[in-house]
Amino acid sequence: MLTKEYAFQKKIEELRERQKELRCLYRIEELMNKGIPEKKFFYELIKLIHNGWQFPEVCQAKITFENKIYKEPGWSETEWVQQAEIVVDEVVSGMIEVYYTEPRKMIIDSPFLPEEQKLLNTISNRIGSYIFNNRLASTISVLEEKIAVSEREEQSLLTSKADLHWSWRKHMTEVLADKLDFDRFEIEGLYLIGSTKNATAGPGSDIDLLIHIKQIDKSLKELTSWIEGWSFCLSEINFQKTGFKTNGLIDLHIITDEDIKNKSSYAVMIGAHTDGARPVKLKK
């Protein structure tokens, strides 16, 4: 009868110890879920560990991690100690040590229960996984931020380049206009329309030119050939700048006095209040 009673009490004690161990692990998991800084995490952790041991009143923990030591005030090292390595990403990065500050009943050659070593091993494994996952998440976060910054910079660069696309086209149109002999070809005005005028030109955009002449005559063929020469030259410049190959860069539109009178074709854009042609050079 006494034997059965003893066995029953022993089983109850064992169950109580397992309950303490599970409660200790539960509190450690709660701590890990708080997402606190690493240093604070270790200091909070050493306050929890002793609660899972058989004699918490004389139990103290010390954590050494990456050459830094975390321990409670008044901590003292004794001969009664358990240890477990902290492994992060397959590298031994630290150690947990649990001490009894006073002697207790020895179990074979140690005052610690075999289950307590298993508990310590479990805690050290959880710490290693926790640190690894946190640092991995931080690394991913940093990489994502760098990618976001890179994308913003790329977008900014693309925007800047887009600005340059229309800007240099407009400038070269002004150079062309300055070189064009208005009297020889009886030109009344040279205008910009389209994406260059609207400052939205991309790397493959044409320069849309509108030239107003009095009437179509034999000089028109010479004028179009002259513009075509500029078109091929500007196309090569654009290719060197952007890598976009085009068969000429100028899209030329010719209108006459008759077109303006009849408000036909592109002539309606001259003097229009909405999306009108922009004068580059007019006959003096």
Side-chain angles (χ1 to χ4, degrees):
M1 187 68 178
L2 289 174
T3 302
K4 288 183 179 181
E5 182 67 22
Y6 174 77
F8 178 75
Q9 291 298 326
K10 185 172 178 60
K11 179 60 68 175
I12 292 296
E13 289 178 7
E14 290 176 354
L15 289 173
R16 284 173 179 167
E17 291 304 315
R18 300 298 80 74
Q19 183 184 39
K20 286 165 60 177
E21 292 166 7
L22 289 172
R23 187 180 293 116
C24 176
L25 287 173
Y26 177 75
R27 289 175 177 172
I28 290 173
E29 289 294 331
E30 282 188 323
L31 178 64
M32 290 178 176
N33 290 331
K34 289 182 178 180
I36 59 178
E38 207 169 89
K39 181 178 179 180
K40 185 176 181 181
F41 166 74
F42 283 124
Y43 277 119
E44 292 294 324
L45 183 60
I46 58 176
K47 298 176 184 178
L48 297 177
I49 290 177
H50 69 276
N51 293 312
W53 267 251
Q54 188 178 13
F55 305 107
E57 68 278 2
V58 294
C59 182
Q60 289 188 331
K62 179 178 79 169
I63 295 177
T64 304
F65 187 77
E66 294 181 343
N67 299 319
K68 294 180 181 179
I69 296 175
Y70 304 88
K71 59 185 180 181
E72 293 182 87
W75 178 89
S76 59
E77 189 170 315
T78 68
E79 60 184 290
W80 307 293
V81 60
Q82 278 184 311
Q83 299 174 331
E85 292 178 337
I86 300 173
V87 179
V88 179
D89 195 19
E90 301 183 357
V91 176
V92 177
S93 303
M95 180 178 291
I96 309 177
E97 297 172 276
V98 174
Y99 289 86
Y100 278 153
T101 57
E102 296 177 8
R104 286 294 184 268
K105 180 182 176 180
M106 301 291 285
I107 302 170
I108 305 177
D109 59 349
S110 171
F112 298 101
L113 298 171
E115 291 80 7
E116 289 172 339
Q117 183 62 53
K118 292 180 182 179
L119 174 61
L120 189 60
N121 292 342
T122 299
I123 293 172
S124 66
N125 288 336
R126 286 296 299 118
I127 292 172
S129 297
Y130 170 77
I131 297 297
F132 174 76
N133 290 334
N134 271 10
R135 291 183 176 180
L136 180 61
S138 296
T139 300
I140 292 173
S141 178
V142 170
L143 289 175
E144 287 177 343
E145 178 60 26
K146 286 183 177 179
I147 290 171
V149 169
S150 177
E151 288 177 347
R152 288 196 295 269
E153 289 177 348
E154 183 179 353
Q155 184 61 41
S156 175
L157 185 60
L158 288 174
T159 302
S160 174
K161 284 183 176 179
D163 290 343
L164 292 176
H165 295 319
W166 75 264
S167 181
W168 82 264
R169 281 166 167 75
K170 177 176 176 294
H171 171 70
M172 293 309 298
T173 301
E174 291 168 349
V175 173
L176 178 152
D178 188 56
K179 302 293 183 182
L180 183 57
D181 191 337
F182 274 49
D183 292 332
R184 177 181 175 185
F185 298 114
E186 296 187 341
I187 296 173
E188 298 295 315
L190 185 147
Y191 303 82
L192 263 177
I193 59 175
S195 60
T196 301
K197 185 221 45 164
N198 295 326
T200 58
S205 297
D206 291 330
I207 300 174
D208 292 288
L209 287 187
L210 184 61
I211 295 181
H212 171 204
I213 60 176
K214 280 187 170 294
Q215 59 185 1
I216 294 177
D217 58 23
K218 60 182 181 180
S219 66
L220 178 60
K221 184 176 181 180
E222 187 180 355
L223 171 62
T224 54
S225 295
W226 192 88
I227 295 294
E228 186 179 43
W230 274 83
S231 180
F232 288 133
C233 289
L234 293 176
S235 178
E236 181 61 26
I237 292 173
N238 187 62
F239 174 70
Q240 297 299 324
K241 284 176 172 286
T242 66
F244 277 78
K245 192 72 174 178
T246 58
N247 185 27
L249 203 67
I250 295 176
D251 189 8
L252 178 63
H253 307 279
I254 300 291
I255 60 172
T256 65
D257 286 348
E258 187 70 19
D259 291 322
I260 293 177
K261 179 181 177 181
N262 296 327
K263 296 183 179 180
S264 60
S265 186
Y266 288 91
V268 295
M269 300 182 72
I270 294 180
H273 296 292
T274 303
D275 197 27
R278 177 177 300 168
V280 178
K281 185 178 179 181
L282 300 177
K283 184 177 181 180
K284 296 178 180 179

